[in-house]
Amino acid sequence: MKKISVLIPCFNEEKGIANVIKDIPKHKLKALGYEVDVFVIDNNCSDKTSGIARDNGAEIIHEPRQGKGNAIITGFKNLPKDTDIVVMLDGDNSYKSHEMLRLIEPIDNKFCDVVIGTRLSGKMHDDSMTFLNRAGNWLLTFLVRVAYHGNVTDVCSGYFAWNKKVIDMMLPHLKSNGFSIEMEMITKMARMDFEIYSIPITYEKREGTSSLDPINDGLKIMYTWGRNLTLKSEKLSA
Ligand SMILES: Nc1nc2c(ncn2[C@@H]2O[C@H](COP(=O)(O)OP(=O)(O)OP(=O)(O)O)[C@@H](O)[C@H]2O)c(=O)[nH]1
Ligand SMILES: [Mg+2]
């Protein structure tokens, strides 16, 4: 059996986490020859996220350093060694875990190394993203396409699938602790010449309350875009 490890970083996601885990298409993936391990990274949750996740079959990893980047990097470090494909998505049920097969198929077929679920070119529900966030995402995506020649259409998406080998090579170079983690991963993967493609996905209004700060976090993401511009691929392969 091949193995898919699903990472779900969570900061107080008791409203969404059960459905995110339940809707993972385990039976369809089994038919493709995959077993699925689910890891919820508990990033200082003060609600019932961990208990609900455990009741739904997830393994809990605790990360006390606050921030999505810290949670994701710790998830990567705890991946089972025999993982073939890694998937990441939010715990707020805004991304649909039942659409996971669509991200996995191009990697399973060796079409590419990385698949990003794209909301901007996908089925984005009207109230799922504010106008400001949407405009910021379009701008950041444009900047990545121009400067990194990255074949991406939604640079702030939180739904990814990777061939595990990409994680092994990328992990030593990751340092973002917050919401810049996706920009850091995309710009570094582009510099490392990994093949990245985008698949349209559904994006719905999140369950629970948002703690994203569009201006502050947007500026940090923009800074990460600029900081990696001078990165040389040789440095990343060292
Ligand atoms: N806000 C926040 N989220 C975290 C943190 N650590 C892990 N996460 C998780 O990271 C994922 C993305 O965070 P979200 O708050 O959903 O951010 P977003 O998807 O960009 O924006 P909204 O869904 O519109 O709020 C969620 O599953 C969070 O629970 C943290 O320290 N702060
Ligand atoms: Mg979210």
Side-chain angles (χ1 to χ4, degrees):
M1 270 284 199
K2 297 176 281 185
K3 181 173 285 190
I4 293 176
S5 294
V6 180
L7 300 179
I8 313 175
C10 284
F11 175 57
N12 293 342
E13 301 291 6
E14 65 180 3
K15 293 209 168 86
I17 190 63
N19 284 334
V20 176
I21 299 171
K22 277 185 206 153
D23 291 347
I24 295 173
K26 285 191 171 176
H27 295 295
K28 287 184 184 167
L29 287 165
K30 197 171 175 194
L32 276 180
Y34 284 102
E35 61 169 343
V36 184
D37 284 354
V38 182
F39 300 92
V40 162
I41 303 108
D42 176 339
N43 202 195
N44 295 321
C45 297
S46 55
D47 65 359
K48 298 194 187 103
T49 303
S50 277
I52 296 170
R54 203 176 289 115
D55 290 348
N56 283 281
E59 194 174 309
I60 312 299
I61 300 170
H62 290 277
E63 173 47 69
R65 291 167 304 158
Q66 198 68 56
K68 185 179 184 184
N70 287 325
I72 285 299
I73 291 172
T74 295
F76 288 158
K77 287 181 180 161
N78 282 276
L79 286 170
K81 294 255 177 314
D82 58 346
T83 300
D84 297 285
I85 293 180
V86 181
V87 174
M88 171 187 94
L89 79 166
D90 288 3
D92 58 14
N93 205 25
S94 50
Y95 301 94
K96 299 293 136 191
S97 52
H98 64 82
E99 294 180 355
M100 195 174 290
L101 269 164
R102 309 181 52 237
L103 280 81
I104 288 165
E105 191 271 348
I107 300 176
D108 185 57
N109 281 328
K110 314 250 180 301
F111 178 76
C112 60
D113 307 304
V114 187
V115 175
I116 302 175
T118 169
R119 304 163 297 176
L120 299 181
S121 308
K123 282 191 191 173
M124 187 148 66
H125 287 224
D126 284 346
D127 52 357
S128 59
M129 198 186 283
T130 62
F131 175 76
L132 182 64
N133 285 6
R134 200 185 287 232
N137 285 351
W138 276 117
L139 173 67
L140 289 163
T141 299
F142 171 76
L143 292 174
V144 168
R145 292 182 70 89
V146 169
Y148 292 86
H149 308 292
N151 190 10
V152 288
T153 55
D154 182 2
V155 85
C156 295
S157 171
Y159 206 171
F160 280 62
W162 296 269
N163 183 319
K164 162 79 160 33
K165 289 182 191 120
V166 179
I167 305 293
D168 293 338
M169 291 175 71
M170 175 176 67
L171 182 57
H173 304 288
L174 295 181
K175 23 184 188 281
S176 294
N177 46 29
F179 286 117
S180 303
I181 187 71
E182 285 92 357
M183 177 62 91
E184 184 182 27
M185 292 194 292
I186 289 173
T187 51
K188 289 186 172 169
M189 288 189 300
R191 283 287 186 261
M192 292 168 102
D193 283 333
F194 285 119
E195 285 197 289
I196 308 172
Y197 286 90
S198 302
I199 295 273
I201 52 161
T202 301
Y203 191 65
E204 286 179 359
K205 190 173 163 56
R206 76 172 348 276
E207 306 276 359
T209 44
S210 172
S211 54
L212 181 84
D213 177 341
I215 304 291
N216 233 329
D217 290 314
L219 287 173
K220 285 185 194 154
I221 296 170
M222 179 79 94
Y223 174 76
T224 304
W225 171 85
R227 194 186 55 199
N228 290 340
L229 278 174
T230 52
L231 259 185
K232 298 271 185 297
S233 39
E234 306 83 68
K235 195 159 175 246
L236 290 167
S237 58

